[in-house]
Amino acid sequence: MERTGRIVSPVFDDWIDASDVVSAIEERDGGWRSKLPALLNDIMISLCARRIGATLITYNGEDFRLIRRHREFSLRVLAGARRESRR
């Protein structure tokens, strides 16, 4: 995947933007405050997708819709229950 250029990593500006998103969620969506540390990865995924113009596809509509209230990005939420990863 690396050879074909299909790996997307956060850049410095994504981290700066993520801090703005976290601050905005903390200020405007206070009920999410305890979940902010767990949301950081989803915020970074959203910002990377936004930067490259990709559509983010997920079962986790609740978290990503929250993020999208603060930064616009293309989102498609799949129907059905959220799938948890198996360890």
Side-chain angles (χ1 to χ4, degrees):
M1 291 185 74
E2 185 177 7
R3 283 182 284 163
T4 61
R6 294 182 182 171
I7 296 176
V8 179
S9 299
V11 296
F12 181 77
D13 288 342
D14 294 329
W15 288 100
I16 298 299
D17 204 14
S19 70
D20 293 340
V21 173
V22 167
S23 294
I25 291 172
E26 188 173 36
E27 289 174 15
R28 293 180 230 154
D29 297 292
W32 288 81
R33 186 169 288 141
S34 65
K35 194 171 179 185
L36 281 174
L39 276 176
L40 184 57
N41 287 337
D42 289 345
I43 292 168
M44 296 307 293
I45 291 167
S46 302
L47 295 174
C48 286
R50 176 184 179 184
R51 180 168 36 86
I52 67 169
T55 298
L56 195 153
I57 301 172
T58 184
Y59 284 101
N60 185 1
E62 186 178 23
D63 291 357
F64 285 99
R65 285 185 184 114
L66 168 68
I67 297 164
R68 195 168 63 173
R69 284 200 301 260
H70 301 279
R71 287 297 180 279
E72 187 61 37
F73 60 94
S74 179
L75 175 66
R76 180 173 171 216
V77 178
L78 300 176
R82 180 178 175 182
R83 295 186 180 172
E84 299 296 328
S85 61
R86 293 182 184 161
R87 295 181 194 251

